[in-house]
Amino acid sequence: MNDYTQQLSPNHIVEQLKSWYREAISKNNSDHIRSHYVDLLNEVYDAVDNMRLIIKKDNQVEEDDKNDWICDYCGKSTFETDYDYLVSPKLHLECALHEELEKK
């Protein structure tokens, strides 16, 4: 049994897709063969589109999360602030201290 695993680089994948494209448009192939390669390409395109949508949704979720992390005192983002410097997700420690001093 061979334990060899082939590593595919983006260049290998692109070259394979180009090969499938050439087969899909070749006038030397029958309609059945051309259709087969078109189907393969469409399957790959659909998979890539789905992955792009997932990445876009993940990025949107992070953006939505960032909008929830706004300091009630200063109005600046608390999203990137280390937890040691937060009183809550909506209040910087420094802002809480300023607020406390203003009350005195």
Side-chain angles (χ1 to χ4, degrees):
M1 184 167 160
N2 188 352
D3 290 331
Y4 175 75
T5 302
Q6 183 178 2
Q7 297 293 322
L8 294 177
S9 71
N11 290 339
H12 288 106
I13 294 168
V14 169
E15 286 305 314
Q16 184 65 52
L17 292 174
K18 286 180 181 178
S19 173
W20 290 356
Y21 174 74
R22 286 189 298 272
E23 294 294 336
I25 65 170
S26 174
K27 301 292 185 205
N28 297 327
N29 288 332
S30 68
D31 288 342
H32 176 73
I33 298 294
R34 286 197 305 267
S35 176
H36 169 72
Y37 284 102
V38 167
D39 290 345
L40 290 175
L41 288 168
N42 285 332
E43 187 175 338
V44 171
Y45 298 153
D46 289 345
V48 170
D49 286 344
N50 287 336
M51 287 183 264
R52 285 181 175 160
L53 284 174
I54 290 168
I55 290 170
K56 186 176 180 180
K57 285 179 184 176
D58 287 347
N59 289 341
Q60 185 60 47
V61 166
E62 184 172 317
E63 285 301 313
D64 292 345
D65 287 347
K66 284 182 180 181
N67 293 334
D68 292 336
W69 288 65
I70 304 296
C71 180
D72 291 334
Y73 183 80
C74 70
K76 295 180 182 175
S77 175
T78 60
F79 190 79
E80 304 269 339
T81 306
D82 192 288
Y83 285 115
D84 292 342
Y85 298 98
L86 292 176
V87 173
S88 73
K90 295 188 176 231
L91 187 60
H92 294 108
L93 177 59
E94 181 180 2
C95 292
L97 294 173
H98 284 293
E99 189 175 45
E100 189 66 33
L101 289 174
E102 285 178 357
K103 290 180 182 178
K104 290 184 179 186

